[in-house]
Amino acid sequence: MEVLIIASQLILSLAILVVLHEFGHYIPAKLFKIRVEKFYLFFDPWFSLFKRKIGETEWGIGWLPLGGYVKIAGMVDESMDKEQLAKPPQPWEFRSKPAWQRLIVMVGGVTVNFILALLIYAMILFVWGKQYYTVKSAEKYGMAVSYPELKQYGLEDGDIPLKVGNKKVDNLKDIFKFVVLEGERIVTVDRAGEQVEIKLPENFDQIVLKNEYSELYTLRFPTVVAKVSDDSNAEKAGLKSGDSIVSVNATPINYFNELQSALKENKKKTIELGVVRSGQLTQLNVKVDSTGFIGFQPQGYDYFNIPYATEKFGFFESFPAGISLGVETLGSYVKSMGLVFTKEGAKQIGGFGSMSKIFAPQWDWRIFWNATAFLSIILAFMNILPIPALDGGHVVFLLYEIVTGKEAPQKVLEYAQYVGFFLLIGLMLYANGNDIVRYFFGK
């Protein structure tokens, strides 16, 4: 059931973003009197789930949920309609319009996605405010080191981060930003009442990319079972909602991160799980799967009353705050993209499986809209990259035309489209292949 909920959220989010992105192309095209022959949510090779002709445009829903498209008359696009392009240009075709109009049509989708993200962020701040965990949040149980290998550099579970460089920690998420994106390497923590200064390695970025986490520390909490997955190893062993897990193979387990480490160390093995149920200690024999999971969902921060701060915004205040949050998110994403062009970074590229992780296993509108805004930022940025077949590739050729006064040869556009198409297919296969490898082999 959880998988269906997450998949539904992902599909709905992508459907919203794709439709609005394509409207970003469609609306200026119609304003400039360019004929739009097709408008499709998802791709429709061989057949479509739904289609209807309204005026000069065929509206439809494809069966392949990898995006969507508008087919603009007289444009070299995914359809590679050479028959139409071989005919003399018509007044209602894309190629007949001035370069500046064509440029507006091409950047329309990216513009809509970026503006949409800013509006969503603004409304999230207006409705829910800005919720974040602070140093006060860590006072109850301390924090856990996200990367076990970092403990060799002086980090310890139970630390409470106070400063990164000379910057005081307020929002705990700032720790990762200060260290990874801004290059700070000195972290000051409260350790059992004493302030300790830790120097992180210069190659910290590479260490981060070896892991799926995106934080230096995470808040820790005891392990109480919220829900046991159907037909899981945990269910077969008799684990129940409300159980507290206190040991693995007779080794005490105080916090959930300790349980995670113990499970990873015992992949494909049967372990003895110490469980407190209704005040009584019982032992369960549970098999750990190849990815280090047994199949249950733990109670989260709210269950343990871990406090968080909330910054409220009025309706008009939410717009500049939303713009600031959107720009900051874009900036962080662009900076993090630089890490992708490394050996370890390439391994962390993910497809739909990775995208699904930003949605909650239960329907939560705040998480849904926050994830949708983030995906909208990604969609805008990725589409404006100067890669043939993407909007950014078309923009490059149009800027060339505007600067030189000469159109790029038709054959060049066609070959560029082919190259871009195969690059994107290759990247998609690689990204989703990474997801499959991580799922089955835990790498």
Side-chain angles (χ1 to χ4, degrees), residues 6 9-10 13 355-361 367-368 371-372 375:
I6 291 174
Q9 291 180 84
L10 177 60
S13 177
M355 275 191 248
S356 67
K357 292 180 181 179
I358 65 177
F359 294 95
I367 295 176
F368 172 82
T372 299
L375 289 178

Side-chain angles (χ1 to χ4, degrees), residues 119-171:
L119 290 175
I120 292 176
Y121 279 134
M123 290 301 97
I124 288 174
L125 294 175
F126 173 63
V127 175
W128 290 286
K130 183 179 181 180
Q131 298 176 356
Y132 57 95
Y133 291 95
T134 67
V135 171
K136 187 176 178 62
S137 308
E139 290 175 355
K140 191 168 187 178
Y141 299 115
M143 302 193 75
V145 180
S146 296
Y147 317 105
E149 62 267 34
L150 285 181
K151 292 183 179 181
Q152 66 182 299
Y153 300 106
L155 305 183
E156 292 184 9
D157 291 338
D159 287 349
I160 300 177
L162 303 175
K163 291 192 303 180
V164 179
N166 294 319
K167 301 172 183 176
K168 184 179 178 182
V169 173
D170 181 23
N171 187 337

